[in-house]
Amino acid sequence: QVQLVESGGGLVQAGGSLRLSCAASGRTFSSYVMGWFRQAPGKEREFVAAINWGARTVYADSVKGRFTISRDNAQNTVYLQMNSLKPEDTAVYYCAVDATISIATNDDRYDFWGQGTQVTVSS
């Protein structure tokens, strides 16, 4: 059974940093794309960042230069380092896995999802 468990969310002031982690189990994900999405209240879920097996990364324009995605294949874990946080980054952040090798930004491509972790940025 595939399971994705996010951690690291919380409350932070604007300009601060948080590091999200997502531990995957139930399968080896080293050849798959791992990504992060977020959903703010009243808004649709949106793509944040993704990384493929070769460490190629793609970011949403809204987080470029502030967020960094990375992965540890030995630990089946993906990370999202979030710096210079803004109140508009407030959302539930979801980890997701796409069982293919090419990066996609649309959420319907992703096969497995975590339960989400809340990130709140105060002004």
Side-chain angles (χ1 to χ4, degrees), residues 8-31:
L11 173 64
V12 65
Q13 289 189 331
S17 298
L18 283 174
R19 188 192 195 206
L20 305 184
S21 300
C22 173
S25 61
R27 186 178 296 192
T28 299
F29 294 95
S30 59
S31 61

Side-chain angles (χ1 to χ4, degrees), residues 7-59:
S7 60
L11 173 64
V12 65
Q13 289 189 331
S17 298
L18 283 174
R19 188 192 195 206
L20 305 184
S21 300
C22 173
S25 61
R27 186 178 296 192
T28 299
F29 294 95
S30 59
S31 61
Y32 295 163
V33 171
M34 302 185 79
W36 290 93
F37 288 76
R38 67 186 181 186
Q39 187 167 21
K43 295 188 177 181
E44 293 187 352
R45 187 163 57 189
E46 64 175 2
F47 172 79
V48 176
I51 185 169
N52 74 355
W53 63 273
R56 175 177 176 264
T57 57
V58 174
Y59 295 93

Side-chain angles (χ1 to χ4, degrees), residues 5-12 17-22 36 80 82 85 91-94 115-121:
V5 179
E6 301 100 333
S7 60
L11 173 64
V12 65
S17 298
L18 283 174
R19 188 192 195 206
L20 305 184
S21 300
C22 173
W36 290 93
L80 186 68
M82 305 186 295
L85 282 161
V92 176
Y93 283 71
Y94 297 91
Q115 81 289 349
T117 185
Q118 177 70 48
V119 170
T120 303
V121 184

